[in-house]
Amino acid sequence: MRIVFLGSPPEAQGALRALHDAGHDVALVVTQPDRKRGRGGDLVPSPVKKTATEFRLRVVTPERCKEALDDIAGSGAELGVVVAFGQLIPPSVLAALPSGYVNVHFSLLPRWRGAAPVERAILAGDKETGVCIMQLEAGLDTGPIYACRAIPITPDDTAGDLRRRLADLGTDLLLSEIDSIPGRVPTPQEGEETYAAKLTVEEFELEWSRPAAELARLVMAGNPKPGAWTTARGARLKLLRAKADAAPAPAGAEPGTLVGPGRVATGEGVLVLGEVQPEGKAAMPATAWAAGFRGDRLGG
């Protein structure tokens, strides 16, 4: 099938590569513009642009998707495939291809429509999530569904870990469904709608009076971005991995108090830190950090 591919981050690279390798004619790749990275401020292409360049595919990088309308309409493609593109697609662009667009969405719709479905699923304590191949329309992830697959969320899953698993699952599902999509009628979404609002740095500050189970989810959902954090003797300490221990903290230990190597008392139970990153330093095992920490209390 002749397609236009829209995507930007690493989790979209596998889908582009798989479509190309399966023999689909990728007429055009639309991705985010090159961005400045690093101390030198060098312009760096999106991961999807790197893959498209490797395959010598035609690439456009609009600041706003509507700027690519003529390129998309003139591509001769039948279908658009969207994987973590990072921009809203306006109605004029949606109408530019005969069979419209499908989106690989990383949740079990209509749960967690919006910008951060992976992180919100972890934060909410969901036991499972998944991917849906949906027909794209002007509403925010409101389109009807072609197919979904579910996977469990484990306590060991960071958002980055889970996103990679979902990207692989979504690629497999996309390849199995794409040939049948033109002319097929998808099924409207059913169930309770929830929205995955954008993440903020502020909401990932640990409040040690909360239960350890909630704080563990906060840590895992914040990895890799925006990062869960607390303060240690006035300096910011990023928490990268953690798990909850339901056993109570020692009697009299206030929330935020270190009660063992990498173990912190909370409002309910103990948070066992696995990996941390002190301000201005590289990530390290929490036990190694705790051995050199001169203090016994985290947070304000």
Side-chain angles (χ1 to χ4, degrees):
M1 189 183 306
R2 191 168 175 83
I3 65 173
V4 172
F5 186 89
L6 300 89
S8 298
E11 52 263 38
Q13 284 179 291
L16 176 57
R17 185 177 298 276
L19 289 167
H20 175 271
D21 292 348
H24 293 284
D25 180 5
V26 183
L28 180 68
V29 174
V30 185
T31 188
Q32 297 279 32
D34 298 359
R35 303 296 188 194
K36 290 184 177 180
R37 297 285 190 274
R39 295 182 179 178
D42 295 333
L43 286 173
V44 177
S46 75
V48 161
K49 183 178 178 181
K50 292 179 181 178
T51 298
T53 302
E54 175 188 339
F55 293 146
R56 299 183 180 180
L57 302 175
R58 184 175 173 227
V59 181
V60 294
T61 57
E63 285 287 350
R64 294 184 295 176
C65 187
K66 68 179 182 179
E67 296 167 5
L69 174 58
D70 290 343
D71 295 292
I72 293 172
S75 68
E78 182 175 4
L79 180 71
V81 175
V82 182
V83 184
F85 177 47
Q87 295 186 30
L88 291 176
I89 300 177
S92 59
V93 176
L94 290 175
L97 297 178
S99 295
Y101 295 72
V102 293
N103 180 39
V104 181
H105 184 77
F106 292 172
S107 81
L108 297 175
L109 292 166
R111 187 163 179 78
W112 302 127
R113 295 172 177 171
V118 176
E119 293 85 354
R120 294 297 174 194
I122 294 175
L123 287 171
D126 290 359
K127 299 302 182 184
E128 68 172 9
T129 186
V131 293
C132 289
I133 308 296
M134 60 173 286
Q135 184 182 77
L136 208 60
E137 58 182 32
L140 181 62
D141 300 327
T142 57
I145 302 298
Y146 290 102
C148 293
R149 285 184 187 168
I151 57 173
I153 301 175
T154 76
D156 295 326
D157 280 324
T158 66
D161 298 332
L162 185 56
R163 190 176 291 108
R164 284 186 288 272
R165 291 170 56 209
L166 290 169
D168 291 342
L169 184 68
T171 295
D172 290 343
L173 185 58
L174 176 65
L175 288 179
S176 70
E177 298 290 331
I178 189 170
D179 287 331
S180 67
I181 284 173
R184 181 173 155 197
V185 178
T187 303
Q189 295 182 25
E190 296 181 353
E192 182 182 358
E193 304 167 5
T194 58
Y195 290 88
K198 289 183 179 180
L199 308 173
T200 66
V201 173
E202 290 75 19
E203 70 179 299
F204 281 85
E205 180 182 7
L206 271 71
E207 297 178 8
W208 293 105
S209 59
R210 294 170 62 184
E214 291 182 11
L215 295 179
R217 294 198 297 267
L218 191 73
V219 171
M220 302 301 273
N223 184 346
K225 293 189 300 185
W229 60 280
T230 187
T231 54
R233 300 192 68 180
R236 183 167 293 201
L237 179 69
K238 186 179 287 189
L239 310 177
L240 303 178
R241 290 182 181 270
K243 61 182 180 180
D245 184 344
E254 295 185 8
T257 302
L258 285 170
V259 293
R263 296 173 60 85
V264 188
T266 72
E268 183 180 318
V270 172
L271 187 68
V272 183
L273 305 181
E275 187 178 17
V276 302
Q277 184 175 5
E279 189 171 330
K281 296 184 179 180
M284 64 178 68
T287 51
W289 164 80
F293 177 58
R294 299 295 178 262
D296 62 0
R297 183 80 183 273
L298 300 179

